[in-house]
């Protein structure tokens, strides 16, 4: 016999989980709105890596708006605020990109293809990382050279000279980008290299690789290996407690592997970690209250290019990766929520 008492809890659970999703989506949207205010205020000062994070967000938002599930008024109201956010960002980008072109024309020209939201493709299907692919050991220092990495990307993009041929892979680039055992930023740049190649339309980045041990490797294999190791990095970071040193790579890993289609990076408690890092007052992420003091003490310290500290003590890089990651969460939650896209159990 059919028992209503058995049926009710599952219906309530369904309603409750949908209500929680709605709330989380509200939290993400309001955080992104504060992040957009930051871009509006700082568009002259934000560096190229910073603008790219916001462009990834823009691609995520446009996809979200396009596929937003037509389920109920609450959801539709949320879509309306996402549309408003897209419009605000569009206006800021024009100013930010113009400023980049002026402040650093060479760097701008080399990475111009990345400076359009339509370059960044949003995952249409999801996969998961595999713990068995984690390296037995990892190098203690980065195996990453900013000059070489930039050079390899310009060869892929075709911006290494005026009207350069795109999709060129030299042996040093291939060896560096497929090296196993790299940590942190090296790992995320290796993954980004393959993603940018795919988005640029380059087929077969691996064709010159004659190593027998790598005979059957595909670009997807490399992406899965890299993200499985980035997952391990993030799990270790959370286990040890997020610090000022580790939080930036933690969020960058979520952003890039999420964009590569690994949905297991979109963990609910990781989302809460990111949201808590936002500065309520200025809307950026990674604001350092002691920053002004530091600058006075060491005015000449060399800062990584990807880490530009802005006049209000905000980190351009962390803010950009955080909003990009939040855009990824938004899209993932929407595809999860859309009943039509759920696998039939």
């Amino acid at each position: 016999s059919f028992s209503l008492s058995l049926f009710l809890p599952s219906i309530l659970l369904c309603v409750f989980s949908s209500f929680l999703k709605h709330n989380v989506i509200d939290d993400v949207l309001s955080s992104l709105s504060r992040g957009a205010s930051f871009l509006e205020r700082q568009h002259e000062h934000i560096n190229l890596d910073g603008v790219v994070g916001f462009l990834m967000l823009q691609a995520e938002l446009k996809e979200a708006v396009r596929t937003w599930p037509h389920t109920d008024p609450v959801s539709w109201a949320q879509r309306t605020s996402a549309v408003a956010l897209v419009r605000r960002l569009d206006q800021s980008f024009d100013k930010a990109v113009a400023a980049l072109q002026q402040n650093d024309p060479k760097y701008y020209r080399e990475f111009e293809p990345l400076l359009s939201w339509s370059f960044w493709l949003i995952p249409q299907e999801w996969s998961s990382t595999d713990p068995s692919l984690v390296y037995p050991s990892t190098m203690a220092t980065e195996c990453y050279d900013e000059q070489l990495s930039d050079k390899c990307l310009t060869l892929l993009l075709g911006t290494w000279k005026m009207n350069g041929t795109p999709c060129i892979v030299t042996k040093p680039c291939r060896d560096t980008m497929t090296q196993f055992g790299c940590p942190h930023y090296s790992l995320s740049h290796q993954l980004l290299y393959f993603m940018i190649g795919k988005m640029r339309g380059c087929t077969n980045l691996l064709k010159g690789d004659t190593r027998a041990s790598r005979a059957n490797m595909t670009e997807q294999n490399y992406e899965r290996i890299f993200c499985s190791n980035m997952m391990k990095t993030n799990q270790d970071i959370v286990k040890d407690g997020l610090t000022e040193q580790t939080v930036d790579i933690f969020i960058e890993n979520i952003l890039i592997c999420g964009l590569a289609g690994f949905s297991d990076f979109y963990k609910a408690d990781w989302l809460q970690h990111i949201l808590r890092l936002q500065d309520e007052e200025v809307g950026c992420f990674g604001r350092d209250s002691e920053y002004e003091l530091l600058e006075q003490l060491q005015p000449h310290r060399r800062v990584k290019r990807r880490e530009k500290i802005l006049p209000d003590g905000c980190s351009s890089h962390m803010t950009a990766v955080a909003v990009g990651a939040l855009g990824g969460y938004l899209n993932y939650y929407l595809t999860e929520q859309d009943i039509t896209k759920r696998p039939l159990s």
Side-chain angles (χ1 to χ4, degrees):
S1 68
F2 177 73
S3 155
L4 192 63
S5 62
L6 281 176
F7 183 59
L8 261 176
S10 68
I11 277 212
L12 284 173
L13 195 64
C14 238
V15 168
F16 182 60
S17 81
S18 142
F19 167 73
L20 280 181
K21 276 270 161 68
H22 274 328
N23 271 359
V24 169
I25 287 173
D26 274 338
D27 291 346
V28 169
L29 284 169
S30 82
S31 168
L32 287 174
S33 176
R34 292 197 298 277
S37 310
F38 167 76
L39 179 67
E40 285 161 348
R41 258 197 340 274
Q42 293 289 358
H43 58 79
E44 286 105 24
H45 306 291
I46 200 161
N47 61 2
L48 188 122
D49 298 35
V51 173
V52 165
F54 275 94
L55 284 162
M56 290 173 171
L57 164 64
Q58 185 70 321
E60 298 276 12
L61 281 171
K62 292 202 185 215
E63 177 69 4
V65 164
R66 188 179 74 77
T67 60
W68 208 285
H70 299 237
T71 40
D72 55 89
V74 177
S75 174
W76 208 239
Q78 290 174 333
R79 181 184 183 276
T80 307
S81 44
V83 170
L85 197 52
V86 165
R87 291 211 182 104
R88 285 172 60 194
L89 288 171
D90 270 334
Q91 291 172 337
S92 295
F93 283 133
D94 296 340
K95 298 174 187 163
V97 169
L100 280 177
Q101 193 170 4
Q102 206 180 346
N103 299 339
D104 197 344
K106 178 182 183 288
Y107 194 47
Y108 169 85
R109 192 184 60 71
E110 291 181 337
F111 292 100
E112 190 181 9
L114 308 183
L115 292 174
S116 152
W117 66 266
S118 56
F119 180 86
W120 300 99
L121 304 175
I122 305 308
Q124 299 299 316
E125 58 228 16
W126 298 107
S127 53
S128 292
T129 57
D130 176 354
S132 74
L133 298 175
V134 172
Y135 302 138
S137 67
T138 308
M139 289 168 217
T141 55
E142 298 282 355
C143 36
Y144 165 78
D145 171 317
E146 203 152 45
Q147 273 68 42
L148 178 67
S149 176
D150 283 356
K151 179 75 191 170
C152 293
L153 285 175
T154 61
L155 286 166
L156 276 191
L157 294 170
T159 53
W160 54 279
K161 66 169 194 185
M162 292 306 277
N163 302 320
T165 309
C167 303
I168 295 176
V169 182
T170 60
K171 188 176 187 302
C173 291
R174 194 179 48 243
D175 290 351
T176 303
M177 296 306 177
T178 58
Q179 188 178 351
F180 291 150
C182 296
H184 308 316
Y185 287 105
S186 305
L187 201 48
S188 61
H189 280 74
Q190 288 176 311
L191 173 61
L192 208 47
Y193 177 80
F194 280 98
M195 289 169 65
I196 285 174
K198 182 165 66 187
M199 292 177 190
R200 182 67 181 82
C202 304
T203 50
N204 209 347
L205 300 175
L206 301 169
K207 69 166 172 282
D209 197 339
T210 52
R211 292 172 289 181
S213 60
R214 302 285 181 98
N216 298 321
M217 291 289 287
T218 65
E219 289 159 39
Q220 282 83 358
N221 292 149
Y222 279 109
E223 291 189 2
R224 174 163 269 124
I225 290 170
F226 295 150
C227 283
S228 299
N229 282 282
M230 289 155 83
M231 171 59 75
K232 175 76 165 71
T233 300
N234 273 21
Q235 288 166 336
D236 291 345
I237 287 174
V238 169
K239 193 173 78 225
D240 300 338
L242 286 166
T243 68
E244 230 172 272
Q245 283 68 47
T246 56
V247 67
D248 186 77
I249 192 67
F250 172 76
I251 305 176
E252 184 168 309
N253 287 347
I254 297 172
L255 165 63
I256 304 179
C257 287
L259 199 59
F262 294 93
S263 58
D264 46 339
F265 278 80
Y266 294 129
K267 299 188 192 307
D269 56 323
W270 290 4
L271 173 61
Q272 294 308 318
H273 282 305
I274 298 175
L275 291 171
R276 279 198 291 271
L277 288 162
Q278 190 168 25
D279 184 273
E280 285 300 318
E281 185 192 347
V282 278
C284 69
F285 291 77
R287 188 181 189 200
D288 186 358
S289 45
E290 296 150 27
Y291 161 76
E292 285 83 4
L293 189 66
L294 246 178
E295 277 298 278
Q296 289 154 15
L297 297 174
Q298 329 157 256
H300 302 301
R301 72 193 169 122
R302 158 99 174 78
V303 182
K304 282 192 309 212
R305 181 196 75 227
R306 62 170 163 286
E307 194 38 304
K308 182 170 180 184
I309 304 288
L310 300 172
D312 48 13
C314 286
S315 154
S316 167
H317 186 256
M318 199 192 297
T319 302
V321 291
V323 296
L326 290 173
Y329 269 100
L330 179 68
N331 241 328
Y332 175 63
Y333 280 153
L334 290 173
T335 51
E336 284 298 277
Q337 199 178 302
D338 187 354
I339 307 295
T340 57
K341 294 187 186 169
R342 278 197 199 141
L344 298 170
S345 47

